[in-house]
Amino acid sequence: MINKKWYKYGLIGLVSMVLSACASSVVDERYQAKGQDSRVKYVVIHYTWEDMPNSLRILTEGEVSAHYLISDDEPARVLQLVDETQRAWHAGLSQWKSDVNLNGNSIGIEVVNLGSRQSGQAVPAESSGWQPFTRSQIERLIVLLKDIQARHGIPAENILGHSDIAPQRKVDPGPLFPWQWLAQEGLGRWYDENRVTELMQQYRQTGLPSVLDVQKQLRQIGYMIELTAEMDKQSKNVLRAFQMHYRPSRYDGVLDLETAAILQDLSR
């Protein structure tokens, strides 16, 4: 038979111990340091290269992931798959300026889009057949980006494509992604068209800049490129990524007047 007196005082003691333990573990959050900012420095935009059902399955059941997925419905929906406080596995081997492996300091956004496909396989960026993004997708993306930018204090020039941070192996979000539209919304960089026209005229008279100068300018902007002074494969891939972002009418990795002028303007 249970001793009621022991039970009563034993229970009171147990409750007191639990409350005392809880009280001692409470964190005092009354004070906040002035010297702090968000760990998130970049936003990286991708296309999924899959339809919506497969995109959602891959991004939730596989190793690859992203913080947000924008559907191809009408109207488009925004799905959060990874909390912004957590690391998503979307960037892979990557670099922008001095930052490497951008999974740790970026937010990844996947947009449902098939990219460019041929017989179910990826094709070179020079090929045609790219799927356009819908207006609804871009409108939802702009709202999302402005919210992320405001909360994390992300500079406009740190909103990038996967091909920007991994030009040797990635081409998404591709040449049909409307970077100029985003830049007009304060969500990216763009060039001064009048200045580019002037620079093109100068290059007609003086000739194109040297390969080494082009490599230095690409590096100045943020691209990962080795300074070889040769238009080698890695340089063509980086130049192609630059063209897909800023001059998508032609993205063959070959330097021409317009590419050189845009590059010069953006690297100032």
Side-chain angles (χ1 to χ4, degrees):
M1 184 175 181
I2 298 175
N3 186 309
K4 294 182 179 179
K5 183 177 181 180
W6 177 90
Y7 178 78
K8 175 182 177 181
Y9 289 106
L11 183 59
I12 292 173
L14 179 60
V15 171
S16 297
M17 289 175 61
V18 170
L19 290 175
S20 177
C22 291
S24 64
S25 66
V26 171
V27 177
D28 189 339
E29 298 179 344
R30 289 178 296 171
Y31 309 98
Q32 292 292 310
K34 180 179 179 180
Q36 61 176 301
D37 58 13
S38 173
R39 295 186 182 185
V40 177
K41 295 177 62 177
Y42 303 98
V43 177
V44 181
I45 300 171
H46 312 252
Y47 62 53
T48 61
W49 199 54
E50 296 286 349
D51 59 20
M52 180 58 185
N54 281 328
S55 297
L56 188 58
R57 175 182 57 80
I58 292 169
L59 291 170
T60 56
E61 299 178 10
E63 292 298 318
V64 65
S65 61
H67 293 90
Y68 296 97
L69 173 65
I70 298 181
S71 75
D72 57 353
D73 303 333
E74 286 295 336
R77 294 174 293 140
V78 177
L79 288 70
Q80 184 171 26
L81 307 180
V82 177
D83 191 273
E84 289 183 11
T85 60
Q86 298 293 105
R87 186 197 313 261
W89 299 100
H90 64 96
L93 182 63
S94 53
Q95 180 171 343
W96 190 253
K97 296 186 177 178
S98 60
D99 291 317
V100 298
N101 300 324
L102 269 62
N103 279 328
N105 60 359
S106 67
I107 289 175
I109 301 175
E110 292 271 2
V111 185
V112 175
N113 183 282
L114 298 180
S116 181
R117 313 190 86 184
Q118 185 176 17
S119 303
Q121 300 296 321
V123 296
E126 291 79 9
S127 301
S128 60
W130 295 86
Q131 181 183 23
F133 297 87
T134 69
R135 184 174 186 85
S136 179
Q137 285 179 317
I138 303 305
E139 289 174 344
R140 293 304 302 271
L141 174 63
I142 288 172
V143 173
L144 176 61
L145 285 172
K146 287 186 175 181
D147 178 55
I148 294 172
Q149 185 184 51
R151 287 186 288 104
H152 294 280
I154 299 173
E157 60 267 24
N158 284 3
I159 297 174
L160 304 165
H162 202 184
S163 56
D164 293 316
I165 65 171
Q168 304 304 324
R169 60 188 185 88
K170 294 295 181 179
V171 296
D172 59 310
L176 295 188
F177 187 79
W179 287 110
Q180 186 175 8
W181 182 3
L182 265 64
Q184 290 169 348
E185 296 287 340
L187 301 168
R189 298 183 66 193
W190 204 249
Y191 54 87
D192 184 322
E193 295 184 4
N194 292 330
R195 175 64 175 158
V196 166
T197 299
E198 294 173 1
L199 288 168
M200 288 178 65
Q201 183 60 35
Q202 291 180 23
Y203 286 137
R204 287 189 182 95
Q205 298 173 358
T206 63
L208 293 172
S210 69
V211 173
L212 182 59
D213 284 341
V214 169
Q215 291 172 334
K216 288 180 179 179
Q217 289 170 354
L218 287 165
R219 179 179 284 190
Q220 176 68 26
I221 291 172
Y223 288 93
M224 178 182 176
I225 186 170
E226 296 181 19
L227 303 181
T228 62
E230 297 180 3
M231 189 53 72
D232 45 22
K233 183 178 180 180
Q234 61 105 22
S235 298
K236 289 180 179 179
N237 287 342
V238 175
L239 194 60
R240 180 185 65 177
F242 175 83
Q243 290 171 329
M244 281 195 292
H245 193 135
Y246 296 105
R247 208 284 304 273
S249 61
R250 177 180 168 186
Y251 46 93
D252 54 6
V254 176
L255 185 68
D256 58 13
L257 289 172
E258 187 177 12
T259 301
I262 295 172
L263 180 58
Q264 173 68 31
D265 183 63
L266 289 173
S267 64
R268 288 183 300 173

